[in-house]
mmCIF file with all atom_site columns, all heavy atoms in Angstrom:
data_model
loop_
_atom_site.group_PDB
_atom_site.id
_atom_site.type_symbol
_atom_site.label_atom_id
_atom_site.label_alt_id
_atom_site.label_comp_id
_atom_site.label_asym_id
_atom_site.label_entity_id
_atom_site.label_seq_id
_atom_site.pdbx_PDB_ins_code
_atom_site.Cartn_x
_atom_site.Cartn_y
_atom_site.Cartn_z
_atom_site.occupancy
_atom_site.B_iso_or_equiv
_atom_site.pdbx_formal_charge
_atom_site.auth_seq_id
_atom_site.auth_comp_id
_atom_site.auth_asym_id
_atom_site.auth_atom_id
_atom_site.pdbx_PDB_model_num
ATOM 1   N N   . PRO A 1 334 ? 64.074 69.845 215.317 1.00 0.00 ? 334 PRO A N   1
ATOM 2   C CA  . PRO A 1 334 ? 64.585 69.069 214.181 1.00 0.00 ? 334 PRO A CA  1
ATOM 3   C C   . PRO A 1 334 ? 65.281 67.785 214.627 1.00 0.00 ? 334 PRO A C   1
ATOM 4   O O   . PRO A 1 334 ? 66.023 67.785 215.607 1.00 0.00 ? 334 PRO A O   1
ATOM 5   C CB  . PRO A 1 334 ? 65.594 70.034 213.538 1.00 0.00 ? 334 PRO A CB  1
ATOM 6   C CG  . PRO A 1 334 ? 65.202 71.391 213.985 1.00 0.00 ? 334 PRO A CG  1
ATOM 7   C CD  . PRO A 1 334 ? 64.589 71.229 215.343 1.00 0.00 ? 334 PRO A CD  1
ATOM 8   N N   . GLY A 1 335 ? 65.000 66.707 213.900 1.00 0.00 ? 335 GLY A N   1
ATOM 9   C CA  . GLY A 1 335 ? 65.621 65.431 214.209 1.00 0.00 ? 335 GLY A CA  1
ATOM 10  C C   . GLY A 1 335 ? 64.812 64.595 215.178 1.00 0.00 ? 335 GLY A C   1
ATOM 11  O O   . GLY A 1 335 ? 65.139 63.435 215.419 1.00 0.00 ? 335 GLY A O   1
ATOM 12  N N   . LEU A 1 336 ? 63.784 65.174 215.746 1.00 0.00 ? 336 LEU A N   1
ATOM 13  C CA  . LEU A 1 336 ? 62.933 64.441 216.679 1.00 0.00 ? 336 LEU A CA  1
ATOM 14  C C   . LEU A 1 336 ? 61.552 64.293 216.054 1.00 0.00 ? 336 LEU A C   1
ATOM 15  O O   . LEU A 1 336 ? 60.910 65.281 215.709 1.00 0.00 ? 336 LEU A O   1
ATOM 16  C CB  . LEU A 1 336 ? 62.848 65.195 218.014 1.00 0.00 ? 336 LEU A CB  1
ATOM 17  C CG  . LEU A 1 336 ? 61.985 64.597 219.119 1.00 0.00 ? 336 LEU A CG  1
ATOM 18  C CD1 . LEU A 1 336 ? 62.345 63.157 219.388 1.00 0.00 ? 336 LEU A CD1 1
ATOM 19  C CD2 . LEU A 1 336 ? 62.143 65.403 220.397 1.00 0.00 ? 336 LEU A CD2 1
ATOM 20  N N   . TRP A 1 337 ? 61.112 63.052 215.883 1.00 0.00 ? 337 TRP A N   1
ATOM 21  C CA  . TRP A 1 337 ? 59.883 62.741 215.177 1.00 0.00 ? 337 TRP A CA  1
ATOM 22  C C   . TRP A 1 337 ? 58.924 62.047 216.135 1.00 0.00 ? 337 TRP A C   1
ATOM 23  O O   . TRP A 1 337 ? 59.341 61.511 217.160 1.00 0.00 ? 337 TRP A O   1
ATOM 24  C CB  . TRP A 1 337 ? 60.176 61.825 213.974 1.00 0.00 ? 337 TRP A CB  1
ATOM 25  C CG  . TRP A 1 337 ? 61.332 62.309 213.140 1.00 0.00 ? 337 TRP A CG  1
ATOM 26  C CD1 . TRP A 1 337 ? 62.633 62.378 213.530 1.00 0.00 ? 337 TRP A CD1 1
ATOM 27  C CD2 . TRP A 1 337 ? 61.282 62.818 211.807 1.00 0.00 ? 337 TRP A CD2 1
ATOM 28  N NE1 . TRP A 1 337 ? 63.397 62.906 212.510 1.00 0.00 ? 337 TRP A NE1 1
ATOM 29  C CE2 . TRP A 1 337 ? 62.610 63.180 211.452 1.00 0.00 ? 337 TRP A CE2 1
ATOM 30  C CE3 . TRP A 1 337 ? 60.260 63.000 210.880 1.00 0.00 ? 337 TRP A CE3 1
ATOM 31  C CZ2 . TRP A 1 337 ? 62.917 63.699 210.208 1.00 0.00 ? 337 TRP A CZ2 1
ATOM 32  C CZ3 . TRP A 1 337 ? 60.571 63.513 209.647 1.00 0.00 ? 337 TRP A CZ3 1
ATOM 33  C CH2 . TRP A 1 337 ? 61.885 63.868 209.304 1.00 0.00 ? 337 TRP A CH2 1
ATOM 34  N N   . ALA A 1 338 ? 57.682 62.039 215.796 1.00 0.00 ? 338 ALA A N   1
ATOM 35  C CA  . ALA A 1 338 ? 56.710 61.376 216.662 1.00 0.00 ? 338 ALA A CA  1
ATOM 36  C C   . ALA A 1 338 ? 55.622 60.755 215.807 1.00 0.00 ? 338 ALA A C   1
ATOM 37  O O   . ALA A 1 338 ? 55.310 61.249 214.717 1.00 0.00 ? 338 ALA A O   1
ATOM 38  C CB  . ALA A 1 338 ? 56.108 62.357 217.662 1.00 0.00 ? 338 ALA A CB  1
ATOM 39  N N   . ALA A 1 339 ? 55.058 59.654 216.298 1.00 0.00 ? 339 ALA A N   1
ATOM 40  C CA  . ALA A 1 339 ? 53.990 58.975 215.576 1.00 0.00 ? 339 ALA A CA  1
ATOM 41  C C   . ALA A 1 339 ? 53.041 58.350 216.577 1.00 0.00 ? 339 ALA A C   1
ATOM 42  O O   . ALA A 1 339 ? 53.401 58.095 217.724 1.00 0.00 ? 339 ALA A O   1
ATOM 43  C CB  . ALA A 1 339 ? 54.574 57.899 214.658 1.00 0.00 ? 339 ALA A CB  1
ATOM 44  N N   . GLY A 1 340 ? 51.824 58.106 216.117 1.00 0.00 ? 340 GLY A N   1
ATOM 45  C CA  . GLY A 1 340 ? 50.840 57.451 216.972 1.00 0.00 ? 340 GLY A CA  1
ATOM 46  C C   . GLY A 1 340 ? 50.164 58.438 217.900 1.00 0.00 ? 340 GLY A C   1
ATOM 47  O O   . GLY A 1 340 ? 49.991 59.612 217.575 1.00 0.00 ? 340 GLY A O   1
ATOM 48  N N   . GLU A 1 341 ? 49.793 57.939 219.087 1.00 0.00 ? 341 GLU A N   1
ATOM 49  C CA  . GLU A 1 341 ? 48.964 58.735 219.988 1.00 0.00 ? 341 GLU A CA  1
ATOM 50  C C   . GLU A 1 341 ? 49.661 59.998 220.500 1.00 0.00 ? 341 GLU A C   1
ATOM 51  O O   . GLU A 1 341 ? 48.989 60.900 221.015 1.00 0.00 ? 341 GLU A O   1
ATOM 52  C CB  . GLU A 1 341 ? 48.526 57.882 221.191 1.00 0.00 ? 341 GLU A CB  1
ATOM 53  C CG  . GLU A 1 341 ? 48.081 56.462 220.870 1.00 0.00 ? 341 GLU A CG  1
ATOM 54  C CD  . GLU A 1 341 ? 46.728 56.368 220.176 1.00 0.00 ? 341 GLU A CD  1
ATOM 55  O OE1 . GLU A 1 341 ? 46.498 57.121 219.214 1.00 0.00 ? 341 GLU A OE1 1
ATOM 56  O OE2 . GLU A 1 341 ? 45.911 55.536 220.607 1.00 0.00 ? 341 GLU A OE2 1
ATOM 57  N N   . THR A 1 342 ? 50.979 60.089 220.373 1.00 0.00 ? 342 THR A N   1
ATOM 58  C CA  . THR A 1 342 ? 51.689 61.268 220.866 1.00 0.00 ? 342 THR A CA  1
ATOM 59  C C   . THR A 1 342 ? 51.224 62.543 220.162 1.00 0.00 ? 342 THR A C   1
ATOM 60  O O   . THR A 1 342 ? 51.299 63.632 220.714 1.00 0.00 ? 342 THR A O   1
ATOM 61  C CB  . THR A 1 342 ? 53.203 61.126 220.666 1.00 0.00 ? 342 THR A CB  1
ATOM 62  O OG1 . THR A 1 342 ? 53.436 60.712 219.322 1.00 0.00 ? 342 THR A OG1 1
ATOM 63  C CG2 . THR A 1 342 ? 53.796 60.122 221.611 1.00 0.00 ? 342 THR A CG2 1
ATOM 64  N N   . GLY A 1 343 ? 50.733 62.391 218.932 1.00 0.00 ? 343 GLY A N   1
ATOM 65  C CA  . GLY A 1 343 ? 50.246 63.565 218.206 1.00 0.00 ? 343 GLY A CA  1
ATOM 66  C C   . GLY A 1 343 ? 48.743 63.731 218.316 1.00 0.00 ? 343 GLY A C   1
ATOM 67  O O   . GLY A 1 343 ? 48.164 64.610 217.683 1.00 0.00 ? 343 GLY A O   1
ATOM 68  N N   . GLY A 1 344 ? 48.097 62.882 219.109 1.00 0.00 ? 344 GLY A N   1
ATOM 69  C CA  . GLY A 1 344 ? 46.643 62.906 219.219 1.00 0.00 ? 344 GLY A CA  1
ATOM 70  C C   . GLY A 1 344 ? 46.129 61.484 219.098 1.00 0.00 ? 344 GLY A C   1
ATOM 71  O O   . GLY A 1 344 ? 46.551 60.746 218.211 1.00 0.00 ? 344 GLY A O   1
ATOM 72  N N   . VAL A 1 345 ? 45.251 61.131 220.012 1.00 0.00 ? 345 VAL A N   1
ATOM 73  C CA  . VAL A 1 345 ? 44.800 59.741 220.062 1.00 0.00 ? 345 VAL A CA  1
ATOM 74  C C   . VAL A 1 345 ? 43.970 59.430 218.827 1.00 0.00 ? 345 VAL A C   1
ATOM 75  O O   . VAL A 1 345 ? 43.060 60.194 218.467 1.00 0.00 ? 345 VAL A O   1
ATOM 76  C CB  . VAL A 1 345 ? 43.989 59.510 221.350 1.00 0.00 ? 345 VAL A CB  1
ATOM 77  C CG1 . VAL A 1 345 ? 43.326 58.147 221.343 1.00 0.00 ? 345 VAL A CG1 1
ATOM 78  C CG2 . VAL A 1 345 ? 44.910 59.673 222.553 1.00 0.00 ? 345 VAL A CG2 1
ATOM 79  N N   . GLY A 1 346 ? 44.290 58.329 218.148 1.00 0.00 ? 346 GLY A N   1
ATOM 80  C CA  . GLY A 1 346 ? 43.573 58.034 216.909 1.00 0.00 ? 346 GLY A CA  1
ATOM 81  C C   . GLY A 1 346 ? 43.490 56.554 216.563 1.00 0.00 ? 346 GLY A C   1
ATOM 82  O O   . GLY A 1 346 ? 42.936 56.210 215.527 1.00 0.00 ? 346 GLY A O   1
ATOM 83  N N   . GLY A 1 347 ? 44.054 55.702 217.404 1.00 0.00 ? 347 GLY A N   1
ATOM 84  C CA  . GLY A 1 347 ? 43.924 54.280 217.146 1.00 0.00 ? 347 GLY A CA  1
ATOM 85  C C   . GLY A 1 347 ? 45.087 53.694 216.372 1.00 0.00 ? 347 GLY A C   1
ATOM 86  O O   . GLY A 1 347 ? 45.984 54.396 215.887 1.00 0.00 ? 347 GLY A O   1
ATOM 87  N N   . ALA A 1 348 ? 45.044 52.359 216.244 1.00 0.00 ? 348 ALA A N   1
ATOM 88  C CA  . ALA A 1 348 ? 46.186 51.615 215.735 1.00 0.00 ? 348 ALA A CA  1
ATOM 89  C C   . ALA A 1 348 ? 46.406 51.833 214.236 1.00 0.00 ? 348 ALA A C   1
ATOM 90  O O   . ALA A 1 348 ? 47.551 51.920 213.776 1.00 0.00 ? 348 ALA A O   1
ATOM 91  C CB  . ALA A 1 348 ? 45.991 50.129 216.022 1.00 0.00 ? 348 ALA A CB  1
ATOM 92  N N   . GLU A 1 349 ? 45.326 51.924 213.483 1.00 0.00 ? 349 GLU A N   1
ATOM 93  C CA  . GLU A 1 349 ? 45.494 52.070 212.037 1.00 0.00 ? 349 GLU A CA  1
ATOM 94  C C   . GLU A 1 349 ? 46.192 53.387 211.715 1.00 0.00 ? 349 GLU A C   1
ATOM 95  O O   . GLU A 1 349 ? 47.123 53.459 210.914 1.00 0.00 ? 349 GLU A O   1
ATOM 96  C CB  . GLU A 1 349 ? 44.123 51.994 211.347 1.00 0.00 ? 349 GLU A CB  1
ATOM 97  C CG  . GLU A 1 349 ? 44.218 51.834 209.847 1.00 0.00 ? 349 GLU A CG  1
ATOM 98  C CD  . GLU A 1 349 ? 42.840 51.897 209.168 1.00 0.00 ? 349 GLU A CD  1
ATOM 99  O OE1 . GLU A 1 349 ? 41.817 51.966 209.877 1.00 0.00 ? 349 GLU A OE1 1
ATOM 100 O OE2 . GLU A 1 349 ? 42.805 51.889 207.925 1.00 0.00 ? 349 GLU A OE2 1
ATOM 101 N N   . LEU A 1 350 ? 45.745 54.443 212.386 1.00 0.00 ? 350 LEU A N   1
ATOM 102 C CA  . LEU A 1 350 ? 46.380 55.754 212.216 1.00 0.00 ? 350 LEU A CA  1
ATOM 103 C C   . LEU A 1 350 ? 47.832 55.702 212.700 1.00 0.00 ? 350 LEU A C   1
ATOM 104 O O   . LEU A 1 350 ? 48.739 56.240 212.053 1.00 0.00 ? 350 LEU A O   1
ATOM 105 C CB  . LEU A 1 350 ? 45.601 56.813 213.002 1.00 0.00 ? 350 LEU A CB  1
ATOM 106 C CG  . LEU A 1 350 ? 46.179 58.222 213.008 1.00 0.00 ? 350 LEU A CG  1
ATOM 107 C CD1 . LEU A 1 350 ? 46.346 58.756 211.594 1.00 0.00 ? 350 LEU A CD1 1
ATOM 108 C CD2 . LEU A 1 350 ? 45.273 59.163 213.808 1.00 0.00 ? 350 LEU A CD2 1
ATOM 109 N N   . ALA A 1 351 ? 48.055 55.023 213.815 1.00 0.00 ? 351 ALA A N   1
ATOM 110 C CA  . ALA A 1 351 ? 49.408 54.935 214.367 1.00 0.00 ? 351 ALA A CA  1
ATOM 111 C C   . ALA A 1 351 ? 50.352 54.262 213.368 1.00 0.00 ? 351 ALA A C   1
ATOM 112 O O   . ALA A 1 351 ? 51.482 54.700 213.172 1.00 0.00 ? 351 ALA A O   1
ATOM 113 C CB  . ALA A 1 351 ? 49.390 54.162 215.688 1.00 0.00 ? 351 ALA A CB  1
ATOM 114 N N   . ARG A 1 352 ? 49.861 53.204 212.717 1.00 0.00 ? 352 ARG A N   1
ATOM 115 C CA  . ARG A 1 352 ? 50.712 52.516 211.740 1.00 0.00 ? 352 ARG A CA  1
ATOM 116 C C   . ARG A 1 352 ? 51.017 53.427 210.563 1.00 0.00 ? 352 ARG A C   1
ATOM 117 O O   . ARG A 1 352 ? 52.143 53.484 210.066 1.00 0.00 ? 352 ARG A O   1
ATOM 118 C CB  . ARG A 1 352 ? 50.039 51.221 211.279 1.00 0.00 ? 352 ARG A CB  1
ATOM 119 C CG  . ARG A 1 352 ? 49.955 50.151 212.371 1.00 0.00 ? 352 ARG A CG  1
ATOM 120 C CD  . ARG A 1 352 ? 49.615 48.778 211.780 1.00 0.00 ? 352 ARG A CD  1
ATOM 121 N NE  . ARG A 1 352 ? 48.377 48.799 211.007 1.00 0.00 ? 352 ARG A NE  1
ATOM 122 C CZ  . ARG A 1 352 ? 47.169 48.499 211.517 1.00 0.00 ? 352 ARG A CZ  1
ATOM 123 N NH1 . ARG A 1 352 ? 47.054 48.152 212.782 1.00 0.00 ? 352 ARG A NH1 1
ATOM 124 N NH2 . ARG A 1 352 ? 46.095 48.540 210.748 1.00 0.00 ? 352 ARG A NH2 1
ATOM 125 N N   . ALA A 1 353 ? 49.987 54.150 210.089 1.00 0.00 ? 353 ALA A N   1
ATOM 126 C CA  . ALA A 1 353 ? 50.211 55.059 208.959 1.00 0.00 ? 353 ALA A CA  1
ATOM 127 C C   . ALA A 1 353 ? 51.234 56.125 209.321 1.00 0.00 ? 353 ALA A C   1
ATOM 128 O O   . ALA A 1 353 ? 52.122 56.457 208.533 1.00 0.00 ? 353 ALA A O   1
ATOM 129 C CB  . ALA A 1 353 ? 48.882 55.711 208.548 1.00 0.00 ? 353 ALA A CB  1
ATOM 130 N N   . GLU A 1 354 ? 51.140 56.629 210.564 1.00 0.00 ? 354 GLU A N   1
ATOM 131 C CA  . GLU A 1 354 ? 52.077 57.678 210.979 1.00 0.00 ? 354 GLU A CA  1
ATOM 132 C C   . GLU A 1 354 ? 53.480 57.132 211.189 1.00 0.00 ? 354 GLU A C   1
ATOM 133 O O   . GLU A 1 354 ? 54.468 57.787 210.856 1.00 0.00 ? 354 GLU A O   1
ATOM 134 C CB  . GLU A 1 354 ? 51.570 58.342 212.261 1.00 0.00 ? 354 GLU A CB  1
ATOM 135 C CG  . GLU A 1 354 ? 50.305 59.154 212.038 1.00 0.00 ? 354 GLU A CG  1
ATOM 136 C CD  . GLU A 1 354 ? 49.889 59.969 213.243 1.00 0.00 ? 354 GLU A CD  1
ATOM 137 O OE1 . GLU A 1 354 ? 50.399 59.703 214.357 1.00 0.00 ? 354 GLU A OE1 1
ATOM 138 O OE2 . GLU A 1 354 ? 49.058 60.868 213.068 1.00 0.00 ? 354 GLU A OE2 1
ATOM 139 N N   . GLY A 1 355 ? 53.559 55.932 211.754 1.00 0.00 ? 355 GLY A N   1
ATOM 140 C CA  . GLY A 1 355 ? 54.864 55.316 211.959 1.00 0.00 ? 355 GLY A CA  1
ATOM 141 C C   . GLY A 1 355 ? 55.585 55.112 210.639 1.00 0.00 ? 355 GLY A C   1
ATOM 142 O O   . GLY A 1 355 ? 56.783 55.394 210.505 1.00 0.00 ? 355 GLY A O   1
ATOM 143 N N   . GLU A 1 356 ? 54.841 54.654 209.636 1.00 0.00 ? 356 GLU A N   1
ATOM 144 C CA  . GLU A 1 356 ? 55.458 54.430 208.333 1.00 0.00 ? 356 GLU A CA  1
ATOM 145 C C   . GLU A 1 356 ? 55.831 55.762 207.672 1.00 0.00 ? 356 GLU A C   1
ATOM 146 O O   . GLU A 1 356 ? 56.916 55.895 207.093 1.00 0.00 ? 356 GLU A O   1
ATOM 147 C CB  . GLU A 1 356 ? 54.520 53.636 207.416 1.00 0.00 ? 356 GLU A CB  1
ATOM 148 C CG  . GLU A 1 356 ? 55.193 53.292 206.089 1.00 0.00 ? 356 GLU A CG  1
ATOM 149 C CD  . GLU A 1 356 ? 54.331 52.451 205.145 1.00 0.00 ? 356 GLU A CD  1
ATOM 150 O OE1 . GLU A 1 356 ? 53.374 51.810 205.626 1.00 0.00 ? 356 GLU A OE1 1
ATOM 151 O OE2 . GLU A 1 356 ? 54.635 52.453 203.935 1.00 0.00 ? 356 GLU A OE2 1
#
Side-chain angles (χ1 to χ4, degrees):
Chain A
L336 179 53
W337 313 66
E341 317 288 47
T342 48
V345 171
E349 192 185 355
L350 176 57
R352 291 195 304 267
E354 292 188 345
E356 185 178 340

